Amino acid sequence: GAVVSQHPSRVICKSGTSVKIECRSLDFQATTMFWYRQFPKQSLMLMATSNEGSKATYEQGVEKDKFLINHASLTLSTLTVTSAHPEDSSFYICSATKGDLKSPLHFGNGTRLTVT
Amino acid sequence: GESVGLHLPTLSVQEGDNSIINCAYSNSASDYFIWYKQESGKGPQFIIDIRSNMDKRQGQRVTVLLNKTVKHLSLQIAATQPGDSAVYFCAEKSMRFGAGTRLTVKP
């Protein structure tokens, strides 16, 4: 159990457009989901914590108006990259937890975003 | 501030040898740590975790050691196999990741 599905796996978009990435917990309810960004040969950088039914908590330096997060249900969180620029090109990964922060995260397989 | 980091960015071992990947942390109040494995183009996968009331925990071919005195933990992989080649991250309290170590297993 504990499968997290992320969609799309790859997306190419033009500068100035917006892209939505979905993260679903398929077989469990996730009150909390996390969004990460990963550049090549670097670690995962936590962008924001998504809580069902409330506003997301963003990490320092992450623009909340640019990276819109919606966690409308216990199984779905979305990340929308608005007005994308080439420097937003990255690997975006979501994760969800079945319990509190003292339990392992279950990760999606990531979304490779390329902005041209 | 808090940080979780790794000593070595790369590690190359021969198939069959044991691998040791290290991780340092700075927050002495940290009480839960996880090791993840990330294969190319995929999300991280859980390997093993340890709570601060333990010094050692063993899984299948993997062992995590926690030294709270020096704020250091390590992941030991026994009889390393080609399928173990990946980037390994330690994480604190489930969400913050260290820099990662790329493990390459030579046949």
Side-chain angles (χ1 to χ4, degrees), chain A residues 9 13 17 19 27 30-32 34 45 53 55 60 62 70 72 78 80-81 83 88 93 103 112:
Chain A
S9 58
C13 71
T17 62
V19 173
D27 53 358
T31 55
T32 304
F34 302 95
M45 184 194 80
K55 290 183 179 181
Q60 190 173 6
V62 178
N70 184 283
T78 61
T80 301
V81 182
S83 187
D88 297 325
I93 308 173
S103 49
R112 174 74 59 192

Side-chain angles (χ1 to χ4, degrees), chain A residues 8-105:
Chain A
S9 58
R10 291 178 180 272
V11 59
I12 300 173
C13 71
K14 294 186 177 181
S15 290
T17 62
S18 295
V19 173
K20 181 185 284 188
I21 302 169
E22 293 186 348
C23 181
R24 295 180 184 272
S25 56
L26 297 185
D27 53 358
F28 67 100
Q29 293 186 332
T31 55
T32 304
M33 291 185 175
F34 302 95
W35 287 96
Y36 295 83
R37 180 167 55 183
Q38 185 178 34
F39 293 107
K41 298 186 179 181
Q42 294 189 20
S43 186
L44 282 73
M45 184 194 80
L46 179 65
M47 298 175 67
T49 302
S50 170
N51 299 295
E52 187 267 336
S54 65
K55 290 183 179 181
T57 303
Y58 290 82
E59 294 297 299
Q60 190 173 6
V62 178
E63 300 175 57
K64 63 179 182 180
D65 294 330
K66 180 168 184 62
F67 299 100
L68 300 178
I69 291 172
N70 184 283
H71 194 157
S73 77
L74 286 171
T75 59
L76 174 64
S77 176
T78 61
L79 169 68
T80 301
V81 182
T82 62
S83 187
H85 291 282
E87 56 264 33
D88 297 325
S89 299
S90 188
F91 193 51
Y92 292 87
I93 308 173
C94 73
S95 69
T97 178
K98 297 167 90 171
D100 59 22
L101 292 182
K102 292 186 181 179
S103 49
L105 293 179

Side-chain angles (χ1 to χ4, degrees), chain B residues 23-40:
Chain B
C23 182
Y25 63 96
S26 60
N27 184 357
S28 57
S30 298
D31 57 2
Y32 179 62
F33 303 90
I34 304 178
W35 281 99
Y36 290 97
K37 172 187 179 182
Q38 186 182 27
E39 297 177 350
S40 181

